[in-house]
Amino acid sequence: MSVETITSENEDDPELVKEVEGMEDDKEKNLSDTNSSIYEVYSVEKPAFVKMHGKIFENVYPIKSKSEILTDDWFVISFQINPKQPSSSKTCYKYYVGQVIEKNCDIYKGTFLRGKFTREDNGFIYCFPNVKDQCEFECDQVVSRLDKPTVYKRGLLKFKLDFKTL
């Protein structure tokens, strides 16, 4: 699995570098305020940038181990798809927002959402399809964890992830 958290050393985009550096400065300030020999330091996880299969995902939490994949949490899951041209050797991936509903050893079962276009928040609204979309996937297909969605109008869900980038 090729997943990396983007830091200033491995990304050329100056805006990403500036935001990531700012987050690192905040983290260092918070850690320096407490005496780690007396207090146990708990780091509050902040959204980061994850790069997988050459694509950048913003406002997500990187997955470092299988133990971080919990039931009822929301994730970005990648699925390998067949290229449109049979002669193409390029591997293509499709990404979906899904919720883990069942965990069985290294196999997970999830229910998946579809992006929905709205006038106000175009790109950030998701809905369940008319026919339930459930599928099994493995740990190496999980790109990142998402924050819990906010409930939007008429049962729609709003994430901080733009589905147009998926």
Side-chain angles (χ1 to χ4, degrees), residues 114-135:
R114 298 291 177 267
K116 177 122 177 119
F117 289 98
T118 62
R119 281 186 240 156
E120 293 102 22
D121 292 308
N122 196 8
F124 298 93
I125 305 299
Y126 295 81
C127 66
F128 286 101
N130 292 335
V131 177
K132 273 190 179 179
D133 184 7
Q134 293 184 348
C135 182

Side-chain angles (χ1 to χ4, degrees), residues 96-148:
Y96 292 98
V97 172
Q99 183 180 32
V100 174
I101 56 174
E102 192 176 308
K103 184 178 179 180
N104 188 8
C105 296
D106 289 342
I107 304 293
Y108 302 91
K109 185 175 184 181
T111 182
F112 295 90
L113 303 175
R114 298 291 177 267
K116 177 122 177 119
F117 289 98
T118 62
R119 281 186 240 156
E120 293 102 22
D121 292 308
N122 196 8
F124 298 93
I125 305 299
Y126 295 81
C127 66
F128 286 101
N130 292 335
V131 177
K132 273 190 179 179
D133 184 7
Q134 293 184 348
C135 182
E136 291 183 346
F137 56 92
E138 297 179 5
C139 177
D140 62 341
Q141 291 177 267
V142 178
V143 176
S144 59
R145 183 174 56 82
L146 298 170
D147 281 327
K148 300 256 186 243

Side-chain angles (χ1 to χ4, degrees), residues 2 24-25 51 54 58 69 80 120 131-132 135 147 152:
S2 169
E24 290 172 355
D25 292 342
K51 184 176 181 181
E58 298 178 19
I69 303 174
Q80 184 175 348
E120 293 102 22
V131 177
K132 273 190 179 179
C135 182
D147 281 327
Y152 198 65

Side-chain angles (χ1 to χ4, degrees), residues 22-74:
M23 289 171 38
E24 290 172 355
D25 292 342
D26 291 342
K27 183 178 167 185
E28 288 174 11
K29 287 178 189 173
N30 291 339
L31 293 177
S32 65
D33 291 342
T34 60
N35 184 347
S36 60
S37 62
I38 298 174
Y39 300 102
E40 197 169 327
V41 178
Y42 294 97
S43 63
V44 176
E45 195 175 6
K46 293 183 180 181
F49 303 91
V50 173
K51 184 176 181 181
M52 185 174 194
H53 308 299
K55 210 167 176 84
I56 297 174
F57 299 91
E58 298 178 19
N59 296 319
V60 296
Y61 299 92
I63 300 296
K64 298 174 185 105
S65 70
K66 293 179 190 179
S67 63
E68 293 182 51
I69 303 174
L70 303 173
T71 306
D72 294 330
D73 277 352
W74 294 91

